[in-house]
Amino acid sequence: MDFFFYPSSVAVFGSFKKGAIAYEILRNIVEGGFKGETVPVNPKGGEVEIEGKKLKVAEKLEKDVDVAIIAIPAKLVPPLIEEIGDKVKGAVVISAGFSETGNTELERELIEKAREKGVRIIGPNCAGIFGVHADFFGSFEVRVKKGGLALISQSGAFGGAALAMGNEEGIGFSAFVSYGNAADLTESDFLRYFANDENTKVIALYIEGVKDGKKFVE
């Protein structure tokens, strides 16, 4: 999962009007000092300005990237994964409107499309991810300083509050992941990954339910 937390390139899909979720995520990535390639994508194209820096908005993804961060209407996510699946390794689906609202069929379709393309999914219905030691802040939550704590939170609201509290207390983080519905990657996958991450010394988890009890214990 290094491509999620130590990416060399990222594409952000959504609206880039000020205040929109995709705009706030893009702003966090740019202002956070990410040194890799950042590609905003929206069918309308155009450009977006972040802190005086103008970025061209691609009408569609033309190049390979490590991670796609997706904040578009839920019904458009499965066809997007089918479209970009050959160009991305993983996707963070911020979009809500899946199994948490009873729309289990749409979530099943999303995962089927992802598996057909070999794309790993975080989410849907999540707040995003941080790879702090890569200066990668792929979320709309408050940025944090580097340290050794990896925060795994099923709840985006709790995760955001914990990050803010960490800033107040001077706690440094190695990573943050809000994994929402856990339709593909689960708490067990993240726990195993961060247990072997050289920058992570402590792992904190907020879990609302365990997908696979045996896997979690192992």
Side-chain angles (χ1 to χ4, degrees), residues 82-108:
E82 186 171 32
E83 176 188 330
I84 68 173
D86 295 330
K87 296 183 174 68
V88 304
K89 297 175 183 176
V92 182
V93 182
I94 308 294
S95 313
F98 292 88
S99 64
E100 82 283 358
T101 63
N103 203 344
T104 55
E105 180 61 27
L106 186 63
E107 187 164 297
R108 185 185 63 79

Side-chain angles (χ1 to χ4, degrees), residues 2 5-6 133 147-148 150 174-175 191-201 203:
D2 281 355
F5 300 101
Y6 298 92
H133 288 269
S174 61
L191 182 59
R192 183 172 297 170
Y193 173 77
F194 289 121
N196 294 293
D197 174 47
E198 64 180 5
N199 289 311
T200 297
K201 310 305 178 187
I203 302 172

Side-chain angles (χ1 to χ4, degrees), residues 6-215:
Y6 298 92
S8 60
S9 52
V10 58
V12 182
F13 293 79
S15 169
F16 298 105
K17 293 180 180 179
K18 285 189 177 181
I21 291 175
Y23 173 86
E24 293 301 327
I25 293 171
L26 181 66
R27 183 179 62 80
N28 238 7
I29 292 171
V30 173
E31 292 182 356
F34 180 59
K35 297 175 180 62
E37 185 173 14
T38 304
V39 184
V41 185
N42 184 288
K44 295 181 180 179
E47 65 178 21
V48 57
E49 184 172 339
I50 307 284
E51 290 295 305
K53 181 179 181 180
K54 292 184 178 180
L55 299 174
K56 181 181 178 181
V57 178
E59 294 180 8
K60 62 180 182 178
L61 186 63
E62 300 281 5
K63 57 185 71 178
D64 294 352
V65 296
D66 283 337
V67 182
I69 301 179
I70 300 171
I72 63 176
K75 66 181 181 180
L76 301 179
V77 178
L80 177 63
I81 292 296
E82 186 171 32
E83 176 188 330
I84 68 173
D86 295 330
K87 296 183 174 68
V88 304
K89 297 175 183 176
V92 182
V93 182
I94 308 294
S95 313
F98 292 88
S99 64
E100 82 283 358
T101 63
N103 203 344
T104 55
E105 180 61 27
L106 186 63
E107 187 164 297
R108 185 185 63 79
E109 182 185 356
L110 164 63
I111 298 307
E112 283 182 355
K113 298 293 186 186
R115 286 176 178 164
E116 286 172 6
K117 295 292 186 176
V119 177
R120 300 313 304 264
I121 300 290
I122 294 177
N125 183 38
C126 72
I129 61 174
F130 288 170
V132 185
H133 288 269
D135 297 316
F136 176 59
F137 297 95
S139 170
F140 49 79
E141 301 292 0
V142 62
R143 296 192 301 276
V144 292
K145 70 176 185 178
K146 291 182 177 72
L149 174 62
L151 175 60
I152 303 168
S153 178
Q154 189 161 11
S155 164
F158 177 87
L163 293 171
M165 186 180 298
N167 276 347
E168 292 175 2
E169 298 296 330
I171 297 171
F173 292 79
S174 61
F176 162 66
V177 54
S178 159
Y179 62 95
N181 294 0
D184 178 24
L185 292 168
T186 71
E187 62 287 328
S188 300
D189 298 305
F190 299 120
L191 182 59
R192 183 172 297 170
Y193 173 77
F194 289 121
N196 294 293
D197 174 47
E198 64 180 5
N199 289 311
T200 297
K201 310 305 178 187
V202 179
I203 302 172
L205 301 96
Y206 176 82
I207 302 172
E208 296 173 346
V210 176
K211 283 274 186 174
D212 184 334
K214 182 179 179 181
K215 183 178 179 181

